[in-house]
Amino acid sequence: MILYIVTGKEGEEAYKEISKNVDIKGKNIYVNLTNKCPCSCVFCLRQTKKMMENNSLWLKEGEPTLDEVKEMFSNYNLNTIKELVFCGFGEPLERLYDICKLIDYLKEKYPNLKTRVNTNGLANLIYKKDITPELKNRFDTVSISLNAPNAEEYLALTKSKFGIQSYDAVKDFAIKAKKYVPNVVFTVVEKVMSEDKIHLCQKICDELGVKLRVRPFEN
């Protein structure tokens, strides 16, 4: 599933491919471009074998090309949607440059298109350079998974391939992204951490000048 909407209440979401005669007016359209991710988060649905076999967000036939995704969008009027969100089982910014090209292409036709990326915030480590300038004039919101109140717990939860440096890299990514994106948000998942730890995450966000959103845990 590449282009989809989310149905059901928060924390109990289901996914529907928009090509299945789905009404997209006033809804968020999610764009799923990759399975690649530098993390193996213990709470991620992709770590559950049953979900990997049955949830169609997994790209079983590989990544779509940029031209294929452009063709898919040609069937819809994006003036009617609420927001375009780059999300999925993988880390969207693993395909940063394709996403940038796609947004530039879509905004030529839909200049008022609202865009968001849900990311783990490790893109600067993935590309070994600061990529946040690429976000300018492309994204309205960057939502970053904070996941933990310190580096050790972050690594235990995410199992990032980049190791202990990952946590500071995520915070640095948020600080840099604020220069180019109007709305930068950190997220944590309820039940994955205690209320005390969520409070510590809130303090970190306050210090960095970033909003915190607590997301419901998906069973």
Side-chain angles (χ1 to χ4, degrees):
M1 189 180 298
I2 297 166
L3 304 183
Y4 65 99
I5 65 167
V6 176
T7 63
K9 66 181 182 180
E10 196 169 34
E12 298 179 3
E13 290 94 339
Y15 313 112
K16 288 187 177 180
E17 193 172 0
I18 65 173
S19 62
K20 307 298 184 183
N21 296 317
V22 171
D23 181 11
I24 65 172
K25 185 176 181 179
K27 296 193 172 64
N28 289 343
I29 302 300
Y30 292 82
V31 188
N32 177 29
L33 295 181
T34 185
N35 293 329
K36 296 176 184 176
C37 185
C39 296
S40 298
C41 298
V42 298
F43 53 83
C44 182
L45 294 179
R46 63 187 278 154
Q47 304 310 320
T48 304
K49 184 177 180 182
K50 181 179 179 182
M51 293 302 297
M52 287 179 65
E53 290 174 350
N54 298 326
N55 195 306
S56 58
L57 285 185
W58 188 260
L59 298 172
K60 295 179 180 179
E61 298 181 3
E63 297 182 350
T65 67
L66 182 58
D67 285 340
E68 287 172 338
V69 180
K70 287 180 179 180
E71 179 62 26
M72 292 176 189
F73 274 115
S74 69
N75 298 310
Y76 306 99
N77 178 8
L78 300 187
N79 280 323
T80 68
I81 72 168
K82 181 179 179 182
E83 189 178 32
L84 191 68
V85 185
F86 292 85
C87 190
F89 271 178
E91 164 52 45
L93 295 184
E94 288 274 5
R95 294 191 66 180
L96 168 68
Y97 296 107
D98 280 342
I99 288 176
C100 290
K101 291 175 184 176
L102 180 59
I103 291 175
D104 291 347
Y105 168 78
L106 292 174
K107 285 200 170 188
E108 285 185 5
K109 187 173 183 180
Y110 307 103
N112 297 318
L113 182 67
K114 297 296 183 183
T115 57
R116 166 166 46 110
V117 61
N118 294 349
T119 177
N120 57 31
L122 295 172
N124 287 350
L125 292 182
I126 292 172
Y127 293 95
K128 299 180 181 179
K129 65 178 181 178
D130 178 18
I131 61 86
T132 57
E134 301 289 348
L135 309 178
K136 185 177 181 180
N137 297 325
R138 290 184 171 119
F139 288 103
D140 299 283
T141 300
V142 172
S143 179
I144 307 166
S145 299
L146 182 60
N147 291 318
N150 59 62
E152 291 75 18
E153 291 187 34
Y154 178 88
L155 185 57
L157 280 171
T158 66
K159 300 181 181 179
S160 167
K161 73 176 187 180
F162 298 113
I164 199 67
Q165 66 174 322
S166 300
Y167 192 66
D168 285 342
V170 168
K171 292 190 291 182
D172 185 64
F173 182 83
I175 293 170
K176 287 182 167 64
K178 284 173 58 183
K179 300 176 185 177
Y180 306 106
V181 179
N183 188 34
V184 177
V185 181
F186 270 134
T187 66
V188 295
V189 181
E190 68 175 2
K191 298 183 182 179
V192 172
M193 66 174 69
S194 66
E195 287 295 325
D196 288 344
K197 290 180 180 178
I198 292 176
H199 180 68
L200 290 174
C201 289
Q202 181 64 67
K203 289 181 65 176
I204 291 170
C205 290
D206 292 343
E207 291 170 0
L208 298 178
V210 177
K211 299 175 186 175
L212 178 68
R213 176 172 176 260
V214 181
R215 297 190 291 113
F217 176 74
E218 287 189 59
N219 296 306

